Amino acid sequence: MDLTNRFDPSTALAAILSCDPENIITRTPPDLPPYLLLEALAQTCGMHLRFRRHFLVDVFLASASDLVYEEHPAPVTIRARLTGETGAAAGYEAAVESGPPCRMIMGYRPALADTFFRRRFQCLSSHSSIL
């Protein structure tokens, strides 16, 4: 399957519904393809880690396990909980709707002030009241 023309990671998340130092809840747009659902899970954890680190880190998906995919024609809610953090990575349990949690390991490294992801976080957070 050629995804080069259809893979647009900016469409994976529609809103950040809530975020605190240990948890984040996001929502996707409807009819999200399976490859963008994995992206939405990674972005959810990545946004949380950036938030925790005051948007001063580059974040990347290091590992995903126990991921179960079910089709969801409606928007879905993703809940992620921080399970541990070191100086180079953070572990999360993330679940789509009420499904079983998967494990996400997000790597990170120091970065200069990140205005792009800070603005994206603020924009996605402001959309939560209309979804």
Side-chain angles (χ1 to χ4, degrees), residues 21-35:
E22 303 300 318
N23 302 282
I24 186 170
I25 301 172
T26 61
R27 180 163 296 144
T28 70
D31 297 316
L32 201 64
Y35 54 89

Side-chain angles (χ1 to χ4, degrees), residues 13-26:
L13 290 181
I16 295 173
L17 303 178
S18 70
C19 186
D20 64 42
E22 303 300 318
N23 302 282
I24 186 170
I25 301 172
T26 61

Side-chain angles (χ1 to χ4, degrees), residues 13-16 47 50-51 54-56 113-127:
L13 290 181
I16 295 173
M47 282 295 196
R50 285 181 175 94
F51 167 80
H54 308 287
F55 300 92
L56 297 175
D114 182 347
T115 57
F116 174 80
F117 284 104
R118 182 184 301 269
R119 283 193 318 265
R120 179 149 168 72
F121 185 94
Q122 291 168 339
C123 179
L124 289 170
S125 295
S126 69
H127 286 15

Side-chain angles (χ1 to χ4, degrees), residues 42 45-47 49-50 53 57-61 106-109 114 117:
C45 297
M47 282 295 196
L49 186 52
R50 285 181 175 94
R53 294 289 173 166
V57 291
D58 288 328
V59 177
F60 53 92
L61 175 63
M106 307 302 293
Y108 69 94
R109 60 183 167 255
D114 182 347
F117 284 104

